[in-house]
Amino acid sequence: MGKVTNAALEAVGKARERRLALDTDRRAQEDRIDQATAEVIVGQQAIVAATAQQRASVAAARQVFDAAVAAADQAAAARVGAAKQEIGQALRALAAEKLQVRRIAELTELPAPEVRRLTKQPVAKDTTAAAPAVAVAPVAAAAAAG
């Protein structure tokens, strides 16, 4: 009976060693699984943050672009308005020379209704005012911040 007990004890010891080895392998595998899962989560968070930053940057760039376009439109409108005032003044000078609208239209290659409209246009009080400059600084600042 002593031999059976020794053999049984040895078997139990070997079984315990194998189980502990399997447990160690299982713990190492679980650690690798946890590490890989954590890396995926960190990567997903980085994607979310990058996407949010990209959206914010695009929104800021669009805002700067829209402001620049509005400023350019305003400046162009001011220059066109000033040019029309000058044309109107020149057309009034031609009319003051007793030229008829038809003759002024022939000379200037403008349609007669346009000649009439521009000669009746009110004279601007300050035709020497410069057109507003387009703001470029916000565009450079946004590019540097991006």
Side-chain angles (χ1 to χ4, degrees), residues 2-131:
K3 283 189 170 187
V4 172
T5 306
N6 270 345
L9 287 175
E10 283 180 23
V12 168
K14 284 183 182 180
R16 181 171 286 135
E17 286 176 18
R18 288 180 185 168
R19 184 183 52 78
L20 290 174
L22 285 174
D23 285 349
T24 302
D25 288 345
R26 208 173 291 132
R27 273 189 236 112
Q29 180 187 28
E30 288 172 356
D31 289 345
R32 290 190 305 270
I33 290 170
D34 290 347
Q35 183 62 35
T37 302
E39 289 173 7
V40 169
I41 291 168
V42 168
Q44 289 172 323
Q45 291 170 341
I47 290 170
V48 168
T51 302
Q53 178 60 41
Q54 184 265 351
R55 285 184 181 139
S57 295
V58 167
R62 283 188 178 136
Q63 207 170 25
V64 170
F65 175 79
D66 290 346
V69 168
D73 287 348
Q74 185 179 6
R79 288 191 299 270
V80 166
K84 284 184 177 183
Q85 286 292 327
E86 290 176 15
I87 291 170
Q89 188 175 0
L91 290 173
R92 283 187 292 281
L94 290 172
E97 295 295 330
K98 306 291 186 209
L99 295 177
Q100 293 192 351
V101 170
R102 181 184 51 78
R103 180 71 176 132
I104 295 172
E106 289 172 1
L107 289 171
T108 61
E109 296 184 348
L110 289 172
E114 184 74 359
V115 171
R116 282 189 201 91
R117 188 182 69 74
L118 289 171
T119 54
K120 292 179 182 176
Q121 179 178 336
V123 178
K125 293 180 182 173
D126 183 14
T127 59
T128 60

